[in-house]
Amino acid sequence: MDKIVLLPDLAKQDNFYQENYLLFLRRKLRAAKIPCQLYLINENTSDNESFVAINNLTDTYYLFDQILGINTLSNPLFLADLKIPTDLIPNFQDSRTDSVTFWQGEQRVLTVKLNKFGWVRQVVSYQSDCFIQDNYDVRGFKITTEYFDKYTSQVLKKEWFNNYGELIMTQQNSSIVIAANQRKRFRQATYNSELEIVKEFLLQHVDDKTLFIADTDPDTINLRLTLPEQFRFCFLITDSATVPVGQNIGRFHNIKYAFRTVSLRDDFLQIAPEVKQEDCQLITPVIEKANLSLSNKLVAKIIYWHTGEILPALIKDYLNQLLTIMSEQKDVELVIDATEVLQAVILQQLNLLIKDAGEKTKPAPINTPAVVNRVSCQTLAFQEEKKLMRQARIYLDTGTKSNFTLQLEALQAGIPQFARQSNGLITPEVNGDLVADNGALPEQLSLFLRSLDKWNNSVIENTRIIEQMKPSQVVEQWRELL
């Protein structure tokens, strides 16, 4: 098999896998004895926690290590390792950014920014006309220095260093100049961009038999645009934000596309009609094993409603349908996961219902405080969503674009799910159903709320689908695609 090179955008983390998907794929390919290598084409800074996670992997090639002449396995730098003048007082710490600011009297002198491990990632010093930001490698040395305009925050100059502190190159006025004592390692004395340098050094290690599997981000797209057309790429399209790149790369040959869901593929083909459907592959997610919900052992039956992106008018309609269920079944609770904007709409509607109940203007049972008090509404972080999924009896997603990650979590928990898009995870009336705007929600959900047998059948169906998501199945998909 030809050489496989993975080009991850380490800023992209897949919540379901709890890491970048290409790091996950690397492990699965290697377990199947398919050789592959990670190539990192960005600077290895401790500002990026994913660099920390893969630091010192033997099959990882740090392109900037060669560009800058770095050769070290040194340790990270801590705040105590910095030589900070003793007359500076650290009298402010921002817990949100893990930064410590040092003052001299009333004058702010410098700020040290740390990552979650306590390693130094940036040191910012404040001058009269600019501020200077030193960026640190995860291995404990300064890798770049950036000079910013004090008033506009525009980058005035950028310098790159090796682990010995030697200047390697400087960017100023839209050009990069190689230091005189380093020029023998480079083909040119000046370059128009970092990308030109990355391309030069990358081509020393790959040829047109190399297959690149890349996250879809500006760096990898621009790299593809500059490489000869015979180089083969497979781009991952994992979310709606990456779909518009079809306008830029759809015209290229020797490119395949791997999609997380059918809807992403269809949206992409609308933007890039010149792309052939046979060059588009759906990649089945990997679920190692089920992580079943405990909801059948709980007294309360929790409906977990993830509103998604939805019109406020539809929110009110769905809310009334769910309250109808709760008025008929006293052991049902509703937990709503919504943005702050939609929370305001929901709370306004709930308050109106309570007011109507007090005035007895509407006799409908859904507006009683006893029903409304079983509703909670908040914005949940992903780890909170995962925890709630294992307590829920039913998962409901009313977003125009269903949250695929949460759909996978519901599948893994074994619970019925109701969504506008199946994404291959819903067998109608067996492990959930598709949501329609016809007022049928009470009947659909009640089938699974009233009957534990029906709920158990959902667990069986979800387990059957999970069996098709074993790592071996996904590796076979990638074999076909490659």
Side-chain angles (χ1 to χ4, degrees):
M1 183 176 285
D2 294 336
K3 181 176 181 177
I4 298 175
V5 169
L6 308 179
L7 296 176
D9 172 11
L10 293 180
K12 280 188 177 180
Q13 298 299 293
D14 189 304
N15 279 334
F16 186 73
Y17 299 110
Q18 297 185 18
E19 62 180 336
N20 178 280
Y21 177 77
L22 286 179
L23 301 188
F24 171 83
L25 178 62
R26 165 195 164 272
R27 292 203 314 275
K28 300 307 173 187
L29 292 177
R30 287 172 64 84
K33 306 203 180 299
I34 299 176
C36 60
Q37 276 190 302
L38 283 174
Y39 271 55
L40 303 181
I41 61 174
N42 304 105
E43 297 145 17
N44 183 11
T45 65
S46 57
D47 189 35
N48 192 322
E49 293 173 4
S50 294
F51 275 116
V52 176
I54 65 173
N55 196 26
N56 298 332
L57 284 182
T58 56
D59 63 340
T60 301
Y61 184 73
Y62 301 93
L63 198 62
F64 262 85
D65 276 11
Q66 183 183 357
I67 293 172
L68 300 179
I70 293 171
N71 183 17
T72 182
L73 294 176
S74 56
N75 296 319
L77 193 71
F78 292 88
L79 180 61
D81 299 323
L82 294 173
K83 296 179 180 178
I84 297 175
T86 55
D87 60 334
L88 298 185
I89 301 174
N91 61 354
F92 176 76
Q93 182 164 350
D94 186 344
S95 59
R96 295 168 298 175
T97 58
D98 294 318
S99 63
V100 181
T101 300
F102 292 82
W103 299 76
Q104 190 173 55
E106 297 182 356
Q107 182 178 359
R108 182 177 61 169
V109 178
L110 60 88
T111 297
V112 179
K113 298 181 180 180
L114 311 172
N115 68 12
K116 70 176 184 179
F117 303 103
W119 302 353
V120 174
R121 59 188 182 93
Q122 293 173 346
V123 176
V124 182
S125 58
Y126 304 95
Q127 311 296 320
S128 59
D129 57 345
C130 69
F131 60 92
I132 303 171
Q133 179 174 290
D134 294 331
N135 302 303
Y136 282 79
D137 189 280
V138 295
R139 293 160 290 186
F141 54 85
K142 180 176 70 174
I143 190 169
T144 60
T145 296
E146 295 174 281
Y147 299 79
F148 295 88
D149 184 276
K150 181 178 180 180
Y151 302 102
T152 66
S153 297
Q154 180 182 356
V155 179
L156 304 174
K157 183 170 69 170
K158 183 176 182 178
E159 300 169 329
W160 288 261
F161 301 88
N162 63 17
N163 53 295
Y164 300 106
E166 298 173 333
L167 178 65
I168 306 301
M169 54 192 187
T170 303
Q171 183 174 29
Q172 197 168 13
N173 298 327
S174 301
S175 66
I176 298 177
V177 179
I178 308 302
N181 63 343
Q182 300 291 326
R183 286 181 183 170
K184 63 181 180 180
R185 297 193 298 109
F186 295 79
R187 291 182 179 175
Q188 302 171 202
T190 61
Y191 295 84
N192 293 321
S193 67
E194 284 184 55
L195 184 62
E196 286 187 359
I197 301 173
V198 167
K199 175 184 173 183
E200 176 183 313
F201 280 79
L202 180 65
L203 288 176
Q204 296 175 21
H205 301 275
V206 301
D207 55 31
D208 57 9
K209 292 184 179 181
T210 303
L211 173 62
F212 295 95
I213 304 177
D215 274 323
T216 307
D217 69 277
D219 289 334
T220 52
I221 292 171
N222 289 331
L223 179 64
R224 178 64 191 92
L225 296 176
T226 61
L227 289 174
E229 191 158 327
Q230 63 265 30
F231 278 84
R232 295 173 298 155
F233 270 69
C234 176
F235 279 103
L236 297 176
I237 310 293
T238 57
D239 56 60
S240 57
T242 56
V243 167
V245 302
Q247 297 173 326
N248 297 325
I249 57 178
R251 58 189 171 84
F252 273 79
H253 300 295
N254 282 332
I255 293 183
K256 292 185 181 292
Y257 306 90
F259 296 87
R260 206 177 186 206
T261 67
V262 174
S263 60
L264 286 173
R265 182 197 64 191
D266 294 346
D267 290 348
F268 182 87
L269 288 173
Q270 283 188 348
I271 289 177
E274 65 272 27
V275 174
K276 298 177 181 178
Q277 188 145 348
E278 56 263 31
D279 291 331
C280 299
Q281 174 74 50
L282 290 173
I283 298 300
T284 301
V286 173
I287 297 181
E288 306 278 2
K289 61 180 181 179
N291 185 17
L292 297 179
S293 167
L294 303 173
S295 63
N296 60 328
K297 300 178 182 179
L298 301 177
V299 175
K301 299 173 183 176
I302 298 174
I303 299 175
Y304 171 18
W305 178 19
H306 178 81
T307 61
E309 295 182 8
I310 186 174
L311 295 173
L314 284 176
I315 281 279
K316 295 177 182 179
D317 179 52
Y318 283 127
L319 179 61
N320 285 337
Q321 291 185 62
L322 292 167
L323 292 175
T324 298
I325 296 172
M326 297 172 67
S327 68
E328 297 170 354
Q329 301 187 51
K330 309 303 181 186
D331 55 353
V332 173
E333 296 181 5
L334 176 62
V335 179
I336 307 173
D337 181 9
T339 64
E340 291 185 3
V341 172
L342 291 180
Q343 281 185 56
V345 175
I346 293 167
L347 293 175
Q348 181 185 38
Q349 182 73 356
L350 292 174
N351 288 332
L352 285 174
L353 290 172
I354 293 174
K355 180 182 177 183
D356 289 342
E359 297 174 354
K360 297 183 179 180
T361 58
K362 296 182 181 179
I366 68 170
N367 62 3
T368 62
V371 173
V372 173
N373 287 341
R374 284 185 271 133
V375 178
S376 63
C377 187
Q378 54 198 305
T379 303
L380 299 175
F382 179 66
Q383 291 303 319
E384 295 171 319
E385 292 171 333
K386 282 174 65 76
K387 182 178 179 180
L388 177 59
M389 201 71 79
R390 294 200 70 237
Q391 300 170 344
R393 183 65 64 93
I394 282 177
Y395 171 63
L396 171 64
D397 186 338
T398 54
T400 305
K401 300 290 186 182
S402 300
N403 188 310
F404 188 58
T405 296
L406 291 181
Q407 284 189 288
L408 289 175
E409 290 291 339
L411 182 76
Q412 192 173 27
I415 65 176
Q417 58 176 286
F418 296 80
R420 287 172 170 269
Q421 297 170 322
S422 167
N423 286 322
L425 305 180
I426 298 176
T427 305
E429 297 186 10
V430 180
N431 68 338
D433 217 333
L434 294 178
V435 174
D437 298 330
N438 59 4
L441 208 55
E443 181 181 352
Q444 288 178 308
L445 271 61
S446 292
L447 283 174
F448 292 88
L449 289 169
R450 287 200 175 101
S451 170
L452 200 54
D453 287 340
K454 188 77 173 174
W455 189 87
N456 287 334
N457 289 337
S458 173
V459 174
I460 294 171
E461 177 65 7
N462 285 342
T463 303
R464 184 192 68 79
I465 296 173
I466 288 172
E467 284 297 318
Q468 301 172 8
M469 297 180 172
K470 296 297 184 186
S472 58
Q473 301 278 352
V474 177
V475 168
E476 284 306 310
Q477 277 191 322
W478 277 104
R479 283 185 192 274
E480 293 177 15
L481 184 61
L482 301 181

